[in-house]
Amino acid sequence: MSRSTRTRWRLGLTATAFLVAAGLVTAPAHAEDVTDYAITVEPAAKGAKIDDTMYGVFFEDINRAADGGLYAELVQNRSFEYSTADNTSYTPLTSWTVDGSAQVVDDDGRLNERNRNYLALAAGSSVSNAGYNTGIHVEAGKKYDFSVWARATGGTALTVSLRDADGTLATARKVAVGKSGWGKYTATLTASRTSSTGRLSVASSAGAALDMVSLFPRDTYRNEPNGLRKDLAEKVAALHPGFVRFPGGCLVNTGSMADYSAASGYQRKRSYQWKDTIGPVEQRATNANFWGYNQSYGLGYYEYFRFAEDIGAMPLPVVPALVTGCGQNQAVDDEALLKRHIQDTLDLIEFANGPVTSTWGKVRARMGHPRPFHLTHLEVGNEENLPKEFFARFTQFRAAIEAEYPGITVISNSGPDDSGSTFDTAWKLNRDAEVDMVDEHYYNSPQWFLQNNDRYDSYDRNGPKVFLGEYASQGNAFKNGLAEAAYMTGLERNADVVKLASYAPLFANEDSVQWRPDLVWFNNHAAWNSANYEVQKLFMNNVGDRVVPSAATGTPSLLGPITGAVGLSTWATSAAYDDVSVTGADGKTLLTDDFSQDASKWTHTGGGSWSVQDGQYVQTDTAAENTMVQAGDPSWHDYDLHVKATKKSGKEGFLVAFGVKDTGNFYWWNLGGWNNTQSAVEQAVDGGKSTLISKAGSVETGRAYDIDIKVRGRQVTLYLDGKEWDSFTDDKPAELFRQVVTQDKKSGDLIVKVVNAQSSAARTAIDLGGAKVASKARVTTLAAAPDAVNTETDTAVAPVTSTFPGVAKKFTYIFPANSITFLRIKQR
């Protein structure tokens, strides 16, 4: 970015030397490493009020966030319910090792109807459990509570032990099992040394039936039984979130909407239904998790409500709307089932808020919480890609809730993307129906977040409020945190429209990752904050109560044309390409290839298997997900690209790329993506993709499509079979210097929040508009290399606090390169 494009603010050498000497700014290596900016604040003007619930967290059981994560249970598959319905590699003995003879049984001798399987352990035999990650983690001197449901004809003695490859980890305990049917038996083990590779073993002297084999650390969060893993819960608590959204996500709107009963055939791939997850843990039915494993529901709705209460956050549950999403995209047409789910939702509100004399309030009280949970917000549905079908059902939920509980805010959604036909249709339906709040979700590149700080500036101030329920910039490096922080200044500036916001997902077990990026990473013995976590924590702990209007020097518009080569790709599909031509705007032929000879003009940069077959360039691997081949010159601009494409087999359609600079920087037209349900133009910047245009649509197998892409300057027009499909202009600048100012009513502080996402320091003249302020500011700074990443052993991104003594009505501050800085300034 040229310094000549910006207003100059000069800082004397003496002042600069003072700031550097005080350790308050980084001394620039060269004069050209400093860019000049200005921030003007209007303290007398009244900006948007910021609610205490502005920022929160979203917990979904993805990346093994619950079992093996936040839920403190150390035994995996404790009730022998793992199934191929959860994962094709699973058996009822997954994570167990048998020494001797044992088998999993499903018969009338089971513990209860909802806990179908149990283990029949032969006399003189034992079973050992491997826990999660490398094994069961125990710490020297700490206590661990063992429990098991067991029965034995004639009685037996169980021997419970903890070992690793180096020997005993705790003194073994004997547990006597009576002969009068199923009973719960307990013991306490004290670890003699620390290990992360432990195995829990249960041996029987005579034959025994076992179920719900459990080992919990005594030291859980707030020492609660059936509790939460302490270090993970404490990381969430340290954010001081305003709300906790749970339990999903794709868990809510995928799978069968039936219950778990004989009538449904004990359906194992169900949507997340709250009644499955309360009551005694041994009576909670396990379920297949959408993300490819099993969920025990030991961490259920009651525990979510308790956790939200413990950390002072508003609970925000999400219930199924009977329209599936996340690639399934089916509307359930069953009026009786719909009415049952609506009643379940009313029952949920009663469970949360009802008196102990009510049916579901009594259940809550029996679980140990007679006081209500004070539920005020509830969301129906999640990312439904069928907006009309969703909204028809949503309105029935909303009407029933408002009739019985008028004080509850019922939240709708706008589908899975930040724009496109689904988004537009959903928003129109929500606006027309005067819905209170709409949940938006998007995962885009850092570039997108830097370009769209103004997204909510133009939203209708009198329309539905926005809940930004899921967002992230596709990476855990500091550059991702910088882009998200810049975007969050826009969220705060528009706090009259954006009422709630939560980064997603929250947790990731490093050995079981289905989605990246994530806020907190962990294994069985440690947890660490991502760079994004540090950004979220900084904002959540310094929100303020009201926006103070301010303005800053901006960024000029992009002037150069879109440049790059062209490419072909597939995603889980076999496709054939032919008759490729690229023609310059002047009519000059840049590339032509009918594949009558070979494919020597093309460079294979992705996966898959390409070959010339019958005069076509064919990719045959239907499992490969990005198979890019590219041709041409990265300096090409202002051209017309023609391709003939035919889907041969597989899940999706085809991808035609343009503006290709390298493997991480390009545009492509994705026809028949998302399991052949949508077509979109996506832009990749440094490997992170953003959607520029999105429409519903599919691709027919065996049909040849004519694809034409016209690139002129920064405008692109797309044609499908000779008809214009859509167009866009990519000319929004990436705003690398962003700010917002808020006021904390309790302390009286002005909080100046500045993001400098560029490689040069930002020498900034700050005009506080005549506000009477103290001469010192408390400063918190996050600064690191753009590619810095926090790991278990290395914390490259962490906050640094300091004091700045040079505050006045007008003063200058140098914000370091690649930094986020919060100045808390006392008003007199």
Side-chain angles (χ1 to χ4, degrees):
M1 191 180 303
S2 170
R3 295 181 65 206
S4 64
T5 63
R6 302 197 177 279
T7 306
R8 295 290 174 265
W9 290 83
R10 299 299 181 191
L11 178 65
L13 292 175
T14 303
T16 303
F18 169 77
L19 293 171
V20 173
L24 302 171
V25 301
T26 304
H30 304 286
E32 61 268 22
D33 291 334
V34 181
T35 307
D36 293 312
Y37 288 88
I39 295 174
T40 56
V41 183
E42 301 177 54
K46 210 167 189 179
K49 180 182 180 295
I50 306 175
D51 295 339
D52 293 339
T53 52
M54 174 73 181
Y55 295 122
V57 294
F58 166 47
F59 181 93
E60 179 177 7
D61 187 2
I62 185 174
N63 309 315
R64 283 204 178 275
D67 295 332
L70 184 62
Y71 186 47
E73 173 66 78
L74 297 174
V75 175
Q76 184 176 176
N77 190 19
R78 66 184 178 185
S79 60
F80 310 99
E81 296 289 338
Y82 274 28
S83 164
T84 53
D86 310 327
N87 187 296
T88 56
S89 68
Y90 282 0
T91 74
L93 281 172
T94 292
S95 81
W96 292 94
T97 301
V98 177
D99 184 3
S101 178
Q103 63 176 332
V104 175
V105 181
D106 175 4
D107 64 15
D108 291 342
R110 64 178 66 88
L111 180 60
N112 59 67
E113 283 302 301
R114 296 173 67 78
N115 193 332
R116 308 292 293 171
N117 290 348
Y118 65 92
L119 184 75
L121 184 64
S125 300
S126 66
V127 287
S128 298
N129 190 269
Y132 297 92
N133 299 93
T134 55
I136 292 174
H137 175 72
V138 296
E139 296 181 30
K142 291 196 172 182
K143 295 183 183 299
Y144 297 84
D145 292 324
F146 167 83
S147 65
V148 64
W149 283 82
R151 62 174 169 80
T153 302
T156 188
L158 300 179
T159 302
V160 183
S161 59
L162 267 174
R163 301 180 60 85
D164 65 7
D166 294 326
T168 300
L169 290 170
T171 301
R173 297 294 307 275
K174 293 283 188 181
V175 176
V177 176
K179 58 182 180 180
S180 57
W182 287 102
K184 185 177 181 180
Y185 301 89
T186 62
T188 299
L189 303 173
T190 302
S192 56
R193 55 188 176 85
T194 297
S195 174
S196 293
T197 59
R199 299 290 187 268
L200 174 72
S201 178
V202 181
S204 178
S205 60
L210 307 179
D211 206 344
M212 297 296 292
V213 182
S214 172
L215 188 69
F216 262 87
R218 179 78 57 86
D219 188 19
T220 59
Y221 183 64
R222 298 172 69 95
N223 298 314
E224 292 178 352
N226 195 52
L228 307 181
R229 180 170 149 175
K230 189 174 183 180
D231 60 341
L232 295 182
E234 286 177 342
K235 286 189 180 299
V236 180
L239 293 170
H240 296 109
F243 65 87
V244 179
R245 177 178 180 252
F246 62 89
C250 288
L251 301 187
V252 168
N253 69 337
T254 55
S256 169
M257 300 295 164
D259 62 1
Y260 190 71
S261 66
S264 69
Y266 295 102
Q267 176 61 244
R268 278 298 298 267
K269 290 189 174 184
R270 308 184 305 284
S271 63
Y272 197 111
Q273 300 176 42
W274 77 273
K275 289 179 180 177
D276 286 343
T277 77
I278 61 167
V281 291
E282 68 274 9
Q283 294 178 16
R284 302 182 189 182
T286 68
N287 196 9
N289 182 295
F290 173 81
W291 299 107
Y293 51 92
N294 176 273
Q295 49 194 344
S296 73
Y297 289 147
L299 175 58
Y301 257 75
Y302 177 76
E303 289 75 27
Y304 287 128
F305 277 123
R306 285 291 302 267
F307 184 46
E309 181 181 67
D310 288 345
I311 63 177
M314 176 181 80
L316 204 167
V318 186
V319 298
L322 274 71
V323 177
T324 59
C326 301
Q328 296 183 359
N329 300 335
Q330 295 291 323
V332 179
D333 290 318
D334 185 328
E335 193 64 28
L337 191 58
L338 176 62
K339 288 181 178 178
R340 193 267 286 176
H341 276 267
I342 290 172
Q343 186 58 53
D344 281 354
T345 302
L346 297 175
D347 293 344
L348 170 61
I349 298 171
E350 185 176 280
F351 176 78
N353 294 349
V356 295
T357 55
S358 66
T359 300
W360 290 100
K362 186 181 297 182
V363 173
R364 182 193 69 240
R366 286 174 179 168
M367 293 186 72
H369 201 282
R371 300 184 314 279
F373 285 116
H374 305 295
L375 176 68
T376 60
H377 291 64
L378 183 144
E379 184 172 354
V380 177
N382 170 76
E383 292 188 11
E384 282 74 25
N385 205 34
L386 300 172
K388 293 179 181 178
E389 292 85 345
F390 160 73
F391 206 75
R393 290 153 179 78
F394 170 83
T395 53
Q396 295 186 58
F397 277 88
R398 181 192 183 197
I401 294 168
E402 290 181 346
E404 195 160 336
Y405 299 102
I408 299 291
T409 297
V410 186
I411 303 172
S412 181
N413 75 78
S414 59
D417 299 305
D418 62 87
S419 60
S421 58
T422 295
F423 179 88
D424 293 340
T425 301
W427 257 106
K428 185 179 188 309
L429 292 167
N430 285 308
R431 278 194 300 268
D432 291 348
E434 297 183 349
V435 168
D436 289 332
M437 188 174 289
V438 178
D439 187 5
E440 293 189 354
H441 294 179
Y442 38 84
Y443 297 89
N444 289 321
S445 68
Q447 178 89 353
W448 185 94
F449 283 94
L450 292 170
Q451 289 177 316
N452 286 277
N453 180 273
D454 64 349
R455 175 181 176 87
Y456 296 106
D457 291 3
S458 59
Y459 270 51
D460 182 359
R461 291 6 235 179
N462 298 313
K465 303 306 180 185
V466 173
F467 172 22
L468 180 49
E470 297 184 32
Y471 73 99
S473 71
Q474 300 177 338
N476 279 140
F478 188 53
K479 63 186 177 186
N480 300 99
L482 284 167
E484 290 155 6
Y487 194 72
M488 292 170 80
T489 66
L491 299 182
E492 290 192 6
R493 188 176 65 252
N494 289 284
D496 58 328
V497 169
V498 183
K499 306 305 288 185
L500 307 170
S502 50
Y503 179 102
L506 179 58
F507 287 123
N509 184 320
E510 66 173 352
D511 292 335
S512 180
V513 181
Q514 293 85 44
W515 188 274
R516 298 173 187 266
D518 304 286
L519 209 60
V520 176
W521 289 77
F522 66 92
N523 51 37
N524 63 353
H525 62 275
W528 54 98
N529 305 333
S530 67
N532 319 67
Y533 174 96
E534 297 296 349
V535 170
Q536 293 291 321
K537 184 178 179 182
L538 185 58
F539 274 84
M540 287 193 204
N541 284 277
N542 295 276
V543 181
D545 304 289
R546 187 171 293 279
V547 175
V548 180
S550 62
T553 312
T555 303
S557 298
L558 296 172
L559 299 176
I562 292 174
T563 61
V566 299
L568 309 171
S569 189
T570 60
W571 198 283
T573 302
S574 172
Y577 295 93
D578 202 356
D579 298 335
V580 178
S581 65
V582 181
T583 307
D586 59 1
K588 181 180 179 181
T589 298
L590 302 176
L591 171 71
T592 181
D593 201 337
D594 62 4
F595 304 106
S596 58
Q597 300 297 322
D598 55 32
S600 58
K601 297 175 182 178
W602 298 83
T603 301
H604 189 184
T605 58
S609 178
W610 290 87
S611 62
V612 173
Q613 299 179 15
D614 300 323
Q616 295 181 314
Y617 202 18
V618 183
Q619 198 289 117
T620 55
D621 186 349
T622 56
E625 290 192 331
N626 184 2
T627 66
M628 178 84 83
V629 292
Q630 62 188 67
D633 191 327
S635 67
W636 282 352
H637 60 88
D638 296 294
Y639 56 76
D640 296 323
L641 166 62
H642 172 79
V643 180
K644 189 178 288 291
T646 305
K647 173 181 176 178
K648 297 176 75 67
S649 63
K651 295 180 180 179
E652 306 207 346
F654 24 77
L655 301 142
V656 179
F658 55 97
V660 180
K661 292 183 172 62
D662 52 46
T663 56
N665 294 274
F666 55 85
Y667 301 81
W668 66 20
W669 189 1
N670 185 349
L671 287 149
W674 295 270
N675 287 325
N676 205 17
T677 61
Q678 295 182 66
S679 295
V681 177
E682 298 176 281
Q683 180 185 18
V685 178
D686 295 333
K689 290 201 292 290
S690 302
T691 301
L692 305 181
I693 304 172
S694 177
K695 294 183 178 184
S698 60
V699 167
E700 298 176 24
T701 301
R703 175 184 165 187
Y705 290 83
D706 282 306
I707 297 168
D708 291 275
I709 300 172
K710 180 179 180 180
V711 181
R712 293 293 185 273
R714 302 203 67 80
Q715 181 173 350
V716 178
T717 308
L718 306 111
Y719 301 87
L720 186 62
D721 289 335
K723 297 181 180 179
E724 183 173 332
W725 182 82
D726 213 328
S727 64
F728 68 93
T729 303
D730 181 23
D731 61 355
K732 293 191 74 172
E735 294 281 3
L736 302 177
F737 184 87
R738 301 306 304 170
Q739 101 299 330
V740 70
V741 181
T742 63
Q743 183 175 15
D744 187 317
K745 183 169 62 176
K746 184 176 180 180
S747 67
D749 290 354
L750 283 177
I751 313 172
V752 180
K753 311 174 187 183
V754 177
V755 181
N756 181 25
Q758 59 188 335
S759 58
S760 59
R763 179 169 50 205
T764 307
I766 301 174
D767 183 346
L768 296 179
K772 296 180 180 179
V773 293
S775 61
K776 294 181 180 179
R778 286 188 290 129
V779 184
T780 305
T781 305
L782 287 171
D787 292 327
V789 176
N790 288 347
T791 66
E792 180 183 353
T793 58
D794 180 28
T795 305
V797 181
V800 175
T801 59
S802 61
T803 301
F804 175 66
V807 177
K809 293 179 181 178
K810 294 183 179 182
F811 66 101
T812 301
Y813 192 93
I814 298 181
F815 296 96
N818 302 307
S819 69
I820 304 160
T821 306
F822 279 29
L823 302 170
R824 292 193 71 116
I825 303 170
K826 290 283 184 187
Q827 295 189 88
R828 294 187 184 279

